[in-house]
């Protein structure tokens, strides 16, 4: 796996260099070379599957724990690399990305030891039914750039814990920490071929994986558009698909909400990791009675967020992966930008002035049909609008194509349950944000996803066995 990854990484870097030189023209030969590295990785994973899947859960668990220890030992180096590669702040990489990558391996290493099967007994028929789990085979794992190692390991850990072997493709924009992890696999005792990482463009390496007949399972996290293409391309093979996609997540703030708790959390849910988390809030519905007060306090606090060099530990917002253009569109539609882009000036250190930096931006008086209220922005931009009734806000919160995550703020227990039940959202937090329990399945509704990840259900095939027990010996 290590050599495989190394060769593939070098091939890819050469490829990217050539591609730039040739002004993005890809020759047939280069396409074939990338296909070759996916082909070799799938072959290695397929060969490793029989031995890896027959290891005991305890053996696999020990290897996962060792890998977690090794990543944790190098936490600072991983955090530095993640911050430099992605643009996120060093503080976020140190406290969220890399610790979570470590936790992913530890959690699934422990979880695999505590698996139980379901069993029912039909006494009158003399039958016992039970479920049996088996790994699927070679798992194709494709991840995005926003939480590079965090999301990649969230796929690798459960997949290998239950006995699959994997071919993983990190985003071409942020592959460095995946490459660093490859260097630790051997030391952790991961057998050759169990974890293979291919580096390359989505349309080439990613698609080669999606179309490969020996990869029966694809776990994808990324945009809804790419997911549509993956669905089409994998359809002839009837693959098992999990698609974790974009969001346009609402926060609903009722007038009995505890604003002292709600405002700092909603600032975080809007601007953490530069707003580049699929679960970030980008539509804040505030009940009319507290709308002015909320807006005043929210904008005053947003202005305190420091934007600048991602390596500076005092910085809250680092660099964006690409240029953001939604704010101008919102202004053209008549919305009011209360702070941030185009309103306040951003003083950057000399070395960062050519980067994509943006102040946390709050937009108000924006129509529900506006592109800023309908499309995923994936930047530090949030819209704040007023509402009157519970019925109205549920309808407006649901009136987007996405359904990933929502937050509800209220001290009325009955109301939070009522609203949470009716929100078309894979995940609803009440009076908090980003609190996750990895025991529970994760995924979106509508254009935010298909399937559920985060538990062993997706990475195992479950079969039903029935045993008839004769009531007398013949
Ligand atoms: P993207 O769809 O452009 O790319 C994601 C991955 O898919 C990358 O590795 C890319 O190389 C690969 N890819 C691209 N085209 C492909 C193809 N034709 N076949 C196979 N693979 C292909 O997404 P992105 O810009 O990297 O990530 C941002 C998106 O990810 C946002 O929409 C965000 O909401 C979403 N996201 C969702 C979740 C979630 O859990 N729901 C989590 C993080 C990010």
């Amino acid at each position: 796996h290590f050599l495989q990854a190394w060769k593939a990484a070098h091939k890819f870097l050469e490829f990217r260099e050539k591609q730039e030189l040739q002004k993005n023209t890809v020759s047939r030969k280069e396409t074939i070379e990338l296909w070759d590295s996916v082909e070799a990785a799938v072959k290695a994973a397929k060969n490793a599957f029989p031995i890896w899947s027959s290891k005991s859960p305890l053996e696999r668990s020990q290897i996962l724990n060792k890998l977690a220890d090794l990543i944790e030992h190098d936490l600072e180096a991983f955090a530095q690399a993640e911050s430099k590669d992605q643009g996120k702040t060093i503080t976020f990489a140190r406290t969220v990305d890399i610790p979570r990558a470590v936790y992913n391996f530890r959690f699934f290493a422990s979880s695999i030891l505590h698996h139980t099967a379901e069993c029912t007994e039909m006494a009158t028929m003399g039958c016992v039914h039970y479920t049996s789990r088996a790994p699927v085979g070679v798992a194709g794992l494709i991840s995005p750039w926003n939480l590079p190692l965090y999301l990649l390991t969230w796929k690798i850990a459960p997949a290998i814990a239950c006995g699959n072997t994997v071919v993983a493709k990190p985003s071409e924009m942020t592959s460095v920490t995946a490459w660093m992890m490859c260097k630790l696999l051997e030391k952790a005792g991961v057998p050759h071929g169990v974890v293979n990482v291919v580096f390359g463009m989505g349309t080439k390496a990613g698609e080669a994986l999606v179309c490969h007949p020996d990869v029966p399972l694809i776990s994808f996290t990324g945009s809804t558009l790419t997911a549509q293409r993956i669905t089409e391309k994998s359809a002839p093979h009837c693959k098992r698909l999990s698609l974790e996609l974009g969001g346009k997540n609402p926060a609903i703030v009722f007038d009995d909400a505890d604003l002292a708790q709600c405002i700092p959390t909603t600032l975080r849910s809007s601007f953490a990791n530069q707003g580049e988390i699929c679960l970030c809030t980008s539509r804040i519905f505030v009940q009319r009675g507290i709308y002015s007060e909320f807006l005043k306090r929210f904008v005053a606090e947003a202005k305190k967020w420091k934007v600048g060099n991602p390596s500076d530990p005092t910085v809250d917002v680092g660099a964006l992966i690409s240029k953001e253009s939604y704010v101008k569109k919102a202004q053209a539609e008549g919305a009011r930008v209360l702070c941030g882009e185009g309103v306040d000036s951003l003083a950057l250190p000399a070395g960062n002035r050519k980067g994509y930096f943006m102040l946390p931006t709050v937009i108000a008086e924006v129509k529900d049909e506006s592109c800023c209220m309908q499309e995923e922005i994936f930047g530090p931009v949030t819209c704040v609008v007023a509402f009157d009734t519970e019925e109205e806000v549920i309808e407006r919160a649901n009136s987007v194509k996405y359904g990933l995550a929502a937050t509800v703020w209220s001290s009325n227990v009955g109301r939070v349950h009522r609203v949470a039940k009716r929100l078309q959202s894979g995940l609803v937090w009440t009076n908090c944000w980003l609190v996750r329990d990895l025991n529970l399945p994760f995924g979106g509704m509508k254009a935010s996803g298909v399937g559920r990840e985060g538990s062993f259900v997706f990475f195992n095939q479950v079969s039903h066995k029935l045993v008839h027990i004769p009531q007398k010996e013949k």
Side-chain angles (χ1 to χ4, degrees):
H1 42 76
F2 169 63
L3 268 181
Q4 196 55 52
W6 185 83
K7 277 196 223 153
H10 277 259
K11 240 182 218 178
F12 176 64
L13 291 177
E14 277 170 27
F15 162 77
R16 203 153 68 169
E17 215 167 89
K18 270 192 226 158
Q19 205 190 22
E20 268 159 28
L21 286 175
Q22 295 170 5
K23 299 205 174 71
N24 296 330
T25 49
V26 183
S27 75
R28 173 136 178 79
K29 187 169 166 287
E30 282 156 346
T31 313
I32 290 167
E33 276 173 11
L34 283 169
W35 167 261
D36 280 353
S37 58
V38 172
E39 188 61 42
V42 173
K43 203 168 160 198
K46 201 176 164 191
N47 290 339
F49 179 70
I51 294 182
W52 181 249
S53 56
S54 60
K55 281 196 185 298
S56 72
L58 182 61
E59 283 173 291
R60 292 198 295 263
S61 168
Q62 284 164 342
I63 292 173
L64 262 73
N65 272 323
K66 179 78 183 147
L67 186 53
D69 292 346
L70 292 170
I71 297 174
E72 191 171 50
H73 180 267
D74 292 350
L75 193 144
E76 183 57 23
F78 271 98
Q80 292 283 352
E82 203 73 297
S83 167
K84 281 207 177 86
D85 199 25
Q86 202 269 348
K88 65 179 68 230
T89 64
I90 184 64
T91 307
F92 200 83
R94 267 184 199 140
T95 56
V96 180
D97 288 78
I98 311 304
R100 172 60 190 269
V102 171
Y103 183 68
N104 284 337
F105 284 112
R106 291 223 173 105
F107 179 87
F108 289 105
S110 157
S111 173
I112 194 68
L113 300 176
H114 307 288
H115 255 195
T116 53
E118 289 164 90
C119 179
T120 61
E121 190 183 352
M122 290 170 83
T124 51
M125 305 288 286
C127 289
V128 172
H129 302 247
Y130 64 92
T131 54
S132 167
R133 292 197 191 95
V136 181
V138 178
L141 313 176
I142 303 174
S143 58
W145 50 259
N146 62 326
L147 299 163
L149 195 66
Y150 173 135
L151 289 176
L152 191 70
T153 53
W154 191 47
K155 293 179 187 298
I156 294 176
I160 64 171
C162 49
N164 300 284
T165 54
V166 307
V167 178
K169 196 208 84 62
S171 170
E172 59 273 27
M173 295 199 239
T174 53
S175 311
V176 174
T177 48
W179 160 238
M180 289 168 70
M181 185 192 69
C182 286
K183 296 204 270 182
L184 301 177
L185 295 175
E186 203 148 352
K187 209 168 164 192
V190 181
H192 179 89
V194 172
V195 176
N196 305 272
V197 182
V198 291
F199 297 88
M201 305 294 284
T203 47
K204 299 286 178 284
E207 211 154 301
L209 195 51
V210 167
C211 297
H212 203 294
D214 290 335
V215 180
L217 175 156
I218 296 290
S219 162
F220 168 79
T221 300
S223 65
T224 304
L225 206 64
T226 306
Q228 286 163 349
R229 172 119 183 129
I230 289 177
T231 308
E232 273 173 37
K233 287 282 167 182
S234 63
H237 304 280
C238 292
K239 295 197 180 201
R240 178 184 282 245
L241 283 188
S242 161
L243 306 170
E244 300 293 343
L245 315 177
K248 190 70 197 170
N249 310 310
I252 301 176
V253 186
F254 285 98
D255 54 14
D256 59 355
D258 174 0
L259 290 188
Q261 203 194 340
C262 168
I263 288 177
T265 308
T266 309
L267 284 156
R268 244 180 0 100
S269 74
S270 300
F271 306 130
N273 202 43
Q274 302 72 241
E276 295 170 328
I277 303 179
C278 56
L279 304 167
C280 271
T281 302
S282 58
R283 296 178 294 148
I284 308 174
F285 295 92
V286 185
Q287 203 156 21
R288 204 168 301 277
I290 56 162
Y291 180 71
S292 304
E293 187 198 346
F294 178 93
L295 210 54
K296 201 167 117 205
R297 287 169 62 178
F298 190 79
V299 169
E301 289 302 313
K303 285 181 177 217
K304 292 183 190 162
W305 280 53
K306 184 175 167 188
V307 181
N309 187 343
S311 316
D312 175 347
T314 66
V315 157
D316 305 300
V317 180
L320 296 182
I321 201 97
S322 56
K323 208 168 162 63
E324 191 58 73
S325 57
Y326 273 92
V327 179
K328 283 204 176 83
K329 287 189 202 165
Q331 280 170 317
E333 285 176 359
R336 207 153 56 93
V337 180
L338 299 180
C339 67
E341 179 86 351
V343 175
D344 300 305
S345 56
L346 172 59
L348 286 167
N352 297 110
R353 288 190 193 138
K354 285 188 182 158
Y356 300 135
F357 289 88
M358 187 175 181
L359 287 162
T361 300
V362 181
I363 304 177
E365 286 156 37
V366 56
K367 295 193 181 75
D368 286 5
E369 313 77 73
S370 159
C371 61
C372 291
M373 288 285 279
Q374 293 289 327
E375 294 169 24
E376 185 182 45
I377 297 179
F378 230 50
V381 181
T382 198
C383 300
V384 188
V385 292
F387 74 92
D388 292 297
T389 67
E390 188 178 308
E391 195 60 31
E392 169 206 340
V393 78
I394 293 170
E395 198 189 315
R396 289 173 68 191
N398 286 340
S399 70
V400 290
K401 69 175 178 177
Y402 295 107
L404 188 58
T407 49
V408 180
W409 292 90
S410 170
S411 50
N412 178 332
V413 176
R415 172 146 69 192
V416 294
H417 283 290
R418 227 169 28 237
V419 175
K421 197 169 172 63
R422 290 181 61 199
L423 286 174
Q424 295 166 351
S425 182
L427 181 55
V428 179
W429 281 291
T430 58
N431 300 325
C432 65
W433 178 72
L434 211 62
V435 180
R436 290 268 296 116
D437 179 347
L438 299 194
N439 282 304
L440 299 181
F442 174 90
M445 292 184 182
K446 305 196 282 188
S448 290
V450 174
R452 291 290 178 269
E453 268 188 48
S455 69
F456 285 124
V457 176
F458 177 66
F459 291 106
N460 269 316
Q461 30 200 354
V462 179
S463 55
H464 173 180
K465 318 284 181 192
L466 186 153
V467 181
H468 180 252
I469 306 160
Q471 298 307 297
K472 283 187 193 152
E473 229 21 90
K474 279 190 185 152

